[in-house]
Amino acid sequence: MSALSSSNPAPSQAENAIALKEPAPLFPFLDLKTQFASIRHEIMAAVSRVMESQQFILGEEVQALEGEIASLIEAREAISCASGTAALELSLEALGVGQDDEVITTPYTFVATAGAIARQGARPVFVDIDSVTFNIDPAGIEPAVTERTRAIIPVHLFGLPAELNPILEAARRHRLAVIEDAAQAIGAEYDGKKVGSLGTLGCFSFFPSKNLGGAGDGGMITTQDRDLATHLRQLRVHGSQEKYHYKILGTNSRLDALQAAILRAKLPHLPGWTRQRQEVASHYRNLFAQYRLEQITLPATPPDRTHVYNQFVVRCPRRDELRAFLSGRGIPSEIYYPVPLHLQPAFADLNYHEGDFPRAEAASRETLALPIYPELPEEHQAMVVQALAEFYRI
Ligand SMILES: Cc1ncc(COP(=O)(O)O)c(C=O)c1O
């Protein structure tokens, strides 16, 4: 159906103008319906199981999901919570990060990474990215450490693990915690180990568009540290360990049993879906080679890591012109992220300026995300790459 639904018979002039300028996409950037159709019975059985139990808060489903995620990630503990953002906030709080502390992270990420730091009262200290992987450049971390630094948050952006070994070494040298923001990278491996198992804490998101997406918001924290896990379990239920008794104050940040049951139904499919994403990526690579689209830089896959392709992000000349051309032909694309965090008004008080992180700024100007999801039809991929080829031949 077009953006102007038939239930709205009188589009305004402005709507008409938009409709004329931008034809509706020929296919969606992300299609969640196809996947749901393939596992509808499993999902509906999970929903029904919870409804029959009328156990909605924590309980068996949540505990079972935590155990399953812990074994997938090879972490001793997994603590679920309300969202990926909450996972980051709770992690920082459990580590005691607060007022006057500094946390090092990347400016080229979703806002939640640095937002969580600032909302704890601490200062996000940005370090520029590596131009090839789009992840934080480990070489920039030590020069950014001060006596106020408490933690580093590397982000495994788009599904590609950050270069963790030098980050972990810098953290050891300066006694800093490492919180892996693995929101986009569940199941990805670095040096043969799952992301989320290597840092002090790992944070995951079950936002519907993630590789393991729920039917709403949800998050998970993984750790090898049992004391941190106990603290986190306390923080997510208002701080209580014993009902209605509070030695510390926490918040309400729990994963719903309904979400847990749905995620448990989806979890056994994750390895297959990840393989399918990798096949889609490799089909894109073949098509780019076939069309000799050498001006476009494809996502890097360093040999010590696996990429789980939450997004397929390419670097391309004349990005904005290209995107307009693609949407004119009904080809969907997205920009992750058009403004790096150090230039966002919300972080103006950090006093960063244009030019401070040139590689993150260039990535924001030059990258484009192409459609990718496990069931993406090859015909759609062919349409995307044909349109790109057409643009660069004009
Ligand atoms: C890198 C990154 N960090 C954190 C988050 C926050 O997760 P959520 O949307 O579940 O709060 C997201 C997801 O949107 C993300 O992509």
Side-chain angles (χ1 to χ4, degrees):
M1 209 198 312
S2 86
L4 302 172
S5 90
S6 56
S7 62
N8 179 4
S12 70
Q13 266 188 334
E15 282 170 331
N16 263 334
I18 291 165
L20 284 177
K21 237 166 81 192
E22 296 251 312
L26 297 170
F27 52 89
F29 182 76
L30 170 65
D31 171 11
L32 295 174
K33 289 182 182 169
T34 305
Q35 186 167 93
F36 173 60
S38 73
I39 52 166
R40 168 188 284 275
H41 295 300
E42 294 156 67
I43 299 287
M44 296 321 277
V47 169
S48 187
R49 195 168 69 229
V50 175
M51 294 312 291
E52 292 301 336
S53 79
Q54 290 291 295
Q55 161 78 62
F56 297 121
I57 304 294
L58 298 177
E60 273 173 33
E61 296 286 349
V62 171
Q63 228 176 331
L65 177 73
E66 290 178 341
E68 288 159 11
I69 296 282
S71 61
L72 170 78
I73 302 302
E74 290 165 13
R76 268 198 206 120
E77 299 271 355
I79 307 95
S80 59
C81 59
S83 67
T85 304
L88 290 163
E89 289 177 356
L90 290 167
S91 293
L92 288 160
E93 196 173 342
L95 291 168
V97 173
Q99 208 70 42
D100 299 329
D101 291 337
E102 294 178 358
V103 178
I104 294 172
T105 193
T106 161
Y108 187 54
T109 176
F110 181 61
V111 65
T113 314
I117 300 167
R119 287 176 59 82
Q120 285 304 118
R123 179 185 169 89
V125 172
F126 295 122
V127 162
D128 210 351
I129 57 165
D130 174 300
S131 295
V132 175
T133 63
F134 301 127
N135 285 323
I136 193 167
D137 178 4
I141 291 178
E142 286 205 279
V145 173
T146 72
E147 73 276 6
R148 295 184 167 186
T149 311
R150 296 285 169 270
I152 308 168
I153 310 189
V155 179
H156 306 309
L157 199 69
F158 307 139
L160 178 71
E163 198 181 346
L164 281 174
N165 280 341
I167 297 172
L168 295 168
E169 278 160 30
R172 262 192 295 276
R173 268 197 296 277
H174 298 276
R175 297 169 167 273
L176 307 174
V178 174
I179 302 174
E180 295 176 64
D181 184 339
Q184 302 182 5
I186 192 163
E189 291 182 4
Y190 177 84
D191 245 357
K193 299 201 184 83
K194 293 277 178 4
V195 297
S197 70
L198 290 138
T200 319
L201 296 154
C203 294
F204 294 87
S205 163
F206 302 126
F207 187 79
S209 64
K210 298 296 192 268
N211 289 21
L212 180 64
D217 281 309
M220 188 74 74
I221 306 164
T222 49
T223 184
Q224 312 293 3
D225 184 327
R226 296 218 190 271
D227 292 339
L228 270 177
T230 305
H231 192 179
L232 285 161
R233 289 209 159 82
Q234 212 175 332
L235 285 175
R236 74 175 171 182
V237 289
H238 302 283
S240 82
Q241 257 180 327
E242 193 190 338
K243 206 171 179 185
Y244 302 132
H245 291 79
Y246 311 96
K247 289 197 183 120
I248 60 165
L249 277 184
T251 186
N252 176 353
S253 182
R254 298 173 294 224
L255 184 73
D256 291 335
L258 265 170
Q259 292 302 342
I262 290 168
L263 290 164
R264 289 186 69 205
K266 295 180 86 172
L267 189 57
H269 297 281
L270 182 63
W273 289 334
T274 301
R275 263 194 308 279
Q276 282 175 280
R277 284 178 183 272
Q278 290 163 339
E279 282 160 17
V280 170
S282 95
H283 189 57
Y284 267 134
R285 289 178 198 279
N286 291 340
L287 290 169
F288 275 87
Q290 215 172 300
Y291 281 87
R292 297 183 199 289
L293 277 161
E294 283 118 11
Q295 40 301 64
I296 294 183
T297 310
L298 297 171
T301 52
D304 57 355
R305 294 161 240 195
T306 61
H307 200 320
V308 296
Y309 295 104
N310 181 242
Q311 299 297 343
F312 190 87
V313 174
V314 300
R315 190 189 288 269
C316 43
R318 294 154 57 208
R319 193 269 317 267
D320 292 337
E321 249 180 279
L322 169 64
R323 185 157 194 240
F325 177 88
L326 291 178
S327 44
R329 289 211 168 14
I331 304 293
S333 65
E334 292 288 350
I335 295 174
Y336 301 117
Y337 298 90
V339 181
L341 297 186
H342 66 289
L343 301 180
Q344 292 283 357
F347 291 112
D349 60 331
L350 299 177
N351 224 2
Y352 287 114
H353 303 286
E354 195 153 359
D356 284 345
F357 304 109
R359 285 170 274 164
E361 290 166 25
S364 289
R365 278 193 309 269
E366 297 168 7
T367 61
L368 194 65
L370 305 180
I372 191 163
Y373 54 90
E375 306 79 10
L376 179 67
E378 286 195 354
E379 311 84 77
H380 294 176
Q381 289 192 262
M383 287 158 82
V384 172
V385 181
Q386 268 159 22
L388 288 167
E390 215 184 303
F391 174 76
Y392 285 112
R393 290 214 176 101
I394 289 171

